[in-house]
């Protein structure tokens, strides 16, 4: 990562939002390969 | 009659299971937690406590008030023996009294025994090396670190060795975070040129982190963790010694063996070295008192679950060797999750030194992975309470993992490596080329990662205290 991009706050904000959304969707099971269903939390 | 659920341990796996169980079966079950620590620690932030850039109070909270609020019984103590046939656990309380707790369902989430004694001379008790594996260890590390800083500021050249203290240790990622945070802090103080930094690790190559490396597609080309971390170590003038195992520690001297080299001794002024993890001291006993341990655990002391433990070559490992439900193969009402379950094999390629020392970066099973396992076990126990078979599975070769490796805490000029692996353990049956979905995986370094790491600290401290909306935050 060049120091320019390191300090270019709008770019970093974009990476922050993108990464957090991606991690959230993966962790919730909304994207990515099928794994244990998160949807049935609460249904037992 | 309410079902009795007993959870041993209150770390990532145990505590996450408790939270989900209260939501899933809170009205149908009596949930009890046995844990020697009335404290939940957000371990990922101990890398900052260890160099004095975060106060230790910021990364832990008291569990008893949380459990009281969500209707969970808490026993301050340690499980000493499990009697699977009698469905009871012997508990030694913090007050020294021994009691017996019965259960219908049991989760062993006891975490690791920090096996400092596995490497002669290693660990805070010897005064030779430090660790960031507990709050107290991290506080002790911060004190030693400030001594090093003071000496360097007075012009005395210092050598700091950071990495793994045993040839089969795990959590290389945490040690690497600490290394990069020390590097960042020393630069901020203007004394980096007074300190030789050494990364001594059991990984087969830089950036392995015990998960057989990481790669992701960036801008149409494949980026590997090995090239990224190697470049980072070069750029930051950090000497790397790996793959290597430490055989003995003496005051100021580390005895180590590097694969492909003769045994050597490294002088040091400060060493933060992660120990090997083993299963905690816990007996598994039959009604007649005979030892069920050999049938229920591996030699490491970790508990067997529904994994494939058949010995085989590294090339023959499969994604479906990893456990799916975390249920004991012998007792269907006993589970193990987090560090407490026995992994079927390492993810990283094992190496051997000339003297025959096995150098293996053991699979990390902490943080997000532990939380997901805890949730999976909670769902499966709920299934059983509702008269069904456990229907939820989340193998390490199915679950994604996100790891934000801090490389400087500052939210202005700090940095972190953001790593996402999909899935955590490679599965070549599902993803023939790389064993992972490299388009979905992520690997990047930047200021945004420092923000993410700080945001995760805040979000998870909220979630794990079962504050309103906690279940919206995933593991």
């Amino acid at each position: 990562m060049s120091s320019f991009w390191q300090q270019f706050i709008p770019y970093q904000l974009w990476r922050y939002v993108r990464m957090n959304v991606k991690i959230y969707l993966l962790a919730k099971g909304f994207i990515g390969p099928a794994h244990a269903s998160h949807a049935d939390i609460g249904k037992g | 009659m309410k079902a009795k659920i007993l959870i041993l341990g209150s770390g990532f796996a145990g505590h996450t299971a408790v939270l989900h169980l209260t939501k899933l079966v809170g009205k149908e079950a009596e949930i009890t937690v046995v844990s020697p620590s009335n404290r939940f620690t957000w371990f990922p932030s101990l890398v900052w406590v260890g160099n004095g850039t975060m106060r230790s109070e910021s990364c832990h909270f008291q569990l008893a008030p949380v459990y009281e609020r969500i209707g969970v019984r808490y026993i301050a103590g340690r499980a000493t023996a499990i009697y699977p046939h009698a469905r009871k656990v012997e508990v030694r309380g913090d007050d020294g009294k021994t009691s017996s707790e019965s259960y219908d369902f049991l989760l062993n989430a006891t975490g690791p025994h920090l096996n400092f004694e596995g490497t002669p001379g290693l660990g805070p008790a010897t005064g030779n090396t430090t660790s960031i594996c507990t709050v107290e260890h991290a506080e002790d590390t911060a004190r030693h670190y400030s001594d090093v800083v003071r000496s360097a500021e007075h012009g005395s050249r210092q050598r700091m060795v950071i990495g793994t203290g045993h040839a089969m240790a795990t959590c290389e990622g945490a040690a690497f975070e600490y290394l990069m945070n020390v590097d960042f802090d020393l630069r901020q103080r203007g004394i980096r040129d007074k300190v030789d930094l050494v990364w001594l690790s059991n990984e087969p190559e830089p950036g392995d982190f015990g998960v057989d490396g990481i790669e992701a597609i960036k801008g149409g080309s494949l980026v590997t963790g090995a090239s990224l971390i190697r470049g980072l170590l070069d750029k930051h003038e950090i000497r790397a010694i790996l793959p290597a195992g430490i055989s003995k520690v003496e005051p100021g001297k580390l005895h180590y063996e590097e694969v492909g080299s003769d045994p050597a001794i490294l002088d040091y002024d400060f060493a933060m070295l992660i120990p090997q993890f083993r299963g905690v001291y816990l007996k598994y006993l039959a009604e007649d008192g005979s030892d069920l341990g050999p049938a229920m655990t591996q030699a490491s002391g970790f508990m067997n679950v529904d994994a494939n433990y058949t010995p085989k070559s590294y090339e023959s490992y499969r994604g479906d060797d990893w456990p799916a439900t975390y249920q004991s193969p012998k007792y269907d009402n006993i589970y193990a999750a987090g560090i407490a379950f026995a992994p079927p094999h390492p993810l990283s390629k094992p190496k051997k030194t000339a003297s025959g020392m096995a150098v293996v970066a053991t699979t990390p099973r902490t943080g997000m992975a532990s939380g997901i396992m805890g949730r999976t076990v909670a769902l499966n126990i709920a299934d059983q309470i509702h008269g069904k078979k456990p229907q939820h599975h989340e193998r390490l070769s199915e679950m994604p993992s996100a790891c934000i490796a801090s490389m400087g805490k500052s939210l202005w000029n700090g940095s972190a490596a953001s790593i996402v692996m999909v899935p955590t353990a490679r599965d070549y049956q599902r993803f023939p080329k790389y064993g992972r979905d490299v388009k979905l995986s992520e690997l990047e370094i930047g200021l945004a990662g420092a923000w993410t790491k700080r945001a995760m600290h805040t979000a998870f401290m909220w979630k794990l205290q079962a504050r309103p909306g906690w279940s919206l935050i995933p593991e």
Side-chain angles (χ1 to χ4, degrees), chain B residues 186-207:
Chain B
L186 293 174
R187 285 178 198 280
Q188 296 285 99
R189 292 172 186 268
I191 52 169
R192 178 63 182 86
D193 61 332
K194 298 282 189 298
V195 179
D196 295 326
L197 273 182
V198 180
W199 172 239
L200 194 153
S201 168
N202 59 357
E203 300 161 286
E205 62 178 358

Side-chain angles (χ1 to χ4, degrees), chain A residues 1 5-20 22-28 31-38 40-44, chain B residues 20 24 218 368 375 383 386 388 392-394 398 400 402 412 414-415 418 420 422 430-431 439-440 442 444-448 451-452 455-456 471-472 474:
Chain A
M1 176 64 62
W5 285 116
Q6 179 76 34
Q7 289 167 14
F8 189 56
I9 298 296
Y11 175 75
Q12 292 298 326
L13 265 174
W14 153 240
R15 301 309 294 176
Y16 172 79
V17 171
R18 185 183 167 280
M19 184 64 72
N20 279 274
K22 188 169 193 175
I23 292 171
Y24 184 85
L25 295 177
L26 271 169
K28 279 284 185 188
I31 60 168
H35 53 107
S37 169
H38 298 67
D40 44 18
I41 287 261
K43 289 182 189 169
Chain B
H20 283 290
L24 292 163
K218 299 286 291 176
M368 184 173 182
R375 185 192 64 218
D383 282 344
H386 295 139
K388 293 187 279 189
H392 296 85
H393 57 92
E394 192 87 67
E398 294 173 324
W412 175 244
S415 178
S418 301
V420 176
V422 187
R430 212 165 167 193
F431 305 103
K439 285 185 183 164
L440 213 50
E442 289 281 352
E444 66 177 45
I445 293 175
L447 176 63
W451 298 343
T452 303
M456 286 201 172
S471 61
L472 296 173

Side-chain angles (χ1 to χ4, degrees), chain A residues 44, chain B residues 5 21 24-25 28 335 377-388:
Chain B
I5 305 172
L21 283 164
L24 292 163
V25 291
E28 305 150 73
Y335 293 82
V377 170
L379 285 160
N380 285 332
I381 290 176
D383 282 344
Q384 287 186 287
I385 287 175
H386 295 139
K388 293 187 279 189

Side-chain angles (χ1 to χ4, degrees), chain B residues 273-333:
Chain B
L273 299 167
I274 305 283
Q276 181 193 30
F277 287 2
R278 290 183 61 87
V280 300
Y281 297 116
L282 180 59
K283 289 177 184 164
Y284 299 82
L285 299 171
E287 276 171 303
D288 60 1
S290 58
D291 187 12
L292 298 172
M296 290 199 67
T297 59
Q298 295 290 302
S300 58
F302 295 122
M303 201 183 103
N304 292 342
V305 288
D306 59 328
N308 179 0
Y309 293 108
T310 311
K312 49 178 143 174
S313 66
Y314 181 78
E315 289 70 26
S316 311
Y317 293 163
R318 290 171 54 97
D320 55 12
D321 290 338
W322 289 89
T325 63
Y326 302 92
Q327 193 177 34
S328 161
K330 293 211 167 285
Y331 303 95
D332 69 0
N333 62 337

Side-chain angles (χ1 to χ4, degrees), chain B residues 344-384:
Chain B
H345 50 68
L347 297 176
S348 301
K349 191 158 192 174
K351 300 277 182 184
K352 232 173 208 178
T353 65
S355 75
M357 176 196 272
V359 181
V360 188
T362 313
T363 308
R365 311 183 291 287
T366 51
M368 184 173 182
S370 276
I372 292 175
M373 289 175 211
R375 185 192 64 218
T376 307
V377 170
L379 285 160
N380 285 332
I381 290 176
D383 282 344
Q384 287 186 287

Side-chain angles (χ1 to χ4, degrees), chain B residues 169-182:
Chain B
T170 184
C171 284
E172 294 80 8
F176 185 79
E177 276 189 83
Y178 185 68
L179 172 81
M180 297 312 294
N181 272 276
V182 163

